[in-house]
Amino acid sequence: MRDLFRGKLVRITAEEPETYAKSEIHWQRDSEFVRLADSDPIQLSSAKKIKEWAEKRFEKGLKPDRYSFTVRTLDEDKLIGFFGLRIDLMHNEALVGIGIGERDFWGKGYGTDMMKLCLQYVFSELCVERVSLGLHEYNARALRSYEKCGFRLEGRTRKDILREGKRYDSLWMGILREEWLQMQNGDPI
Amino acid sequence: MKDVFTGKLVRLSAVDPEEMSKAFTRWNRDSEYTRLLMMSAQPLSSAKAIQKWMEKEIEGVSPTNFFFTIRALDENKLLGGLGLNVISWAARESFIAIFIGEREYWGKGCGTDAMNIVLRYAFTELNLQRVSLGVFEYNPRAIRSYEKVGFQHEGRMRKYLNHEGKRWDLLYMGILREEWLQVQNGDKT
């Protein structure tokens, strides 16, 4: 059987809210990271606030429609990022959000490895039929990574993001269960 | 499209804890009813205690528990209730408990009708794959009703209960999505 929590470069972890807050407070100061990850106005939160958020998200009330994970590198055991899932239980569909806060780990395959783990978890453990995600047009690195994982570009909301006086599109991608299964080359899941 | 919550004799409606707790205290005084419904010795609780429990358990929005009351179509009388619990969204498996508290309505098809409505809800609204239930050997009326809507006998815990100096079996029944679709026989769902 596969190890659901271990990829080639990273592993999925659970973190103490305090540990997570320490990393997040450092990540949020990188405005480029926040702009790639989110379309909300950039804000700075106190470590206390982040810790409280993490306590709520990680510790209280595990819900069948919400999953939050953190990710560490295999070689140095460094906390580099996170991913979260929201499941539409009735339609058996998942929306994923993913990010690497540590910019030294951008463009080196860590995100792709994370997303592969994420897809493995959603399709083989949660048994969903499809996974969706959204990204900004100006995040070419992410687009390429998602394509490598098997996501297909499904649509775009034109010019809905305004950054530095320019308007950009939001892109929507998706992968179906059959498509993911085909990529597994018949390996047991 | 059919009204999902209306059957031939009854309809499903929301649980009003105040109304339902009053009905519960009345029904619970009928010891034959509680023996058909519950395994444990039934303590008599005050309406207040039951209402408090319901407000907590039933009114809190949960993506895994679905509670309804059963009402007669003709006079809107409160007859009973049901709870559908999704055991696993990944497996899309659920467990149902159903009861008609008003004994003048026993054996008249109201329970069967309510079960038909909730199965339609489970399979066409929640898109579940199976519905399970447990029933006591000494409740042939319920067993017959479950058989009528398409439940199959799946297992038996021998001599599971002790009542009036005798031991009785607990039966397990279940219905699969495909089986239910077949029963619908071309009915528009």
Side-chain angles (χ1 to χ4, degrees), chain A residues 36-97:
Chain A
L36 290 170
D38 209 332
S39 53
D40 292 338
I42 288 170
Q43 287 186 45
L44 293 170
S45 308
S46 68
K48 184 170 167 263
K49 221 175 154 186
I50 297 170
K51 195 181 138 223
E52 280 166 9
W53 175 88
E55 273 164 0
K56 224 171 116 194
R57 181 56 78 83
F58 297 163
E59 300 197 324
K60 290 201 188 105
L62 288 171
K63 290 185 180 160
D65 55 348
R66 286 279 197 155
Y67 294 84
S68 296
F69 293 106
T70 41
V71 177
R72 282 178 182 265
T73 59
L74 283 183
D75 54 355
E76 300 172 64
D77 201 37
K78 188 175 173 65
L79 177 56
I80 59 165
F82 56 85
F83 62 85
L85 297 159
R86 185 190 291 180
I87 317 292
D88 183 328
L89 295 169
M90 176 181 160
H91 298 285
N92 215 1
E93 195 245 3
L95 180 70
V96 61

Side-chain angles (χ1 to χ4, degrees), chain B residues 3-43:
Chain B
D3 174 5
V4 182
F5 295 121
T6 305
K8 293 187 179 98
L9 299 167
V10 300
R11 69 185 181 91
L12 303 190
S13 65
V15 176
D16 172 353
E18 202 183 330
E19 177 198 39
M20 196 62 160
S21 57
K22 280 183 193 142
F24 263 48
T25 49
R26 203 154 40 76
W27 298 337
N28 285 348
R29 284 200 293 265
D30 184 341
S31 68
E32 185 182 351
Y33 160 76
T34 57
R35 284 226 169 142
L36 291 172
L37 183 66
M38 283 170 270
M39 247 188 59
S40 47
Q42 183 54 42

Side-chain angles (χ1 to χ4, degrees), chain A residues 63-65 88-92 125-127, chain B residues 63-64 89-92 124-128:
Chain A
K63 290 185 180 160
D65 55 348
D88 183 328
L89 295 169
M90 176 181 160
H91 298 285
N92 215 1
E125 195 63 16
L126 303 180
C127 307
Chain B
T64 51
W89 276 104
R92 303 195 91 73
T124 69
E125 192 64 19
L126 302 180
N127 296 323
L128 297 173

Side-chain angles (χ1 to χ4, degrees), chain B residues 86-134:
Chain B
V86 180
I87 306 284
S88 159
W89 276 104
R92 303 195 91 73
E93 144 78 345
S94 64
F95 194 90
I96 191 167
I98 187 168
F99 49 93
I100 302 286
E102 298 293 340
R103 53 156 63 224
E104 313 90 83
Y105 287 81
W106 289 357
K108 291 181 178 158
C110 293
T112 306
D113 196 36
M115 184 62 94
N116 270 321
I117 302 173
V118 72
L119 287 183
R120 181 168 67 204
Y121 183 78
F123 290 126
T124 69
E125 192 64 19
L126 302 180
N127 296 323
L128 297 173
Q129 283 299 336
R130 25 170 310 137
V131 178
S132 313
L133 60 80

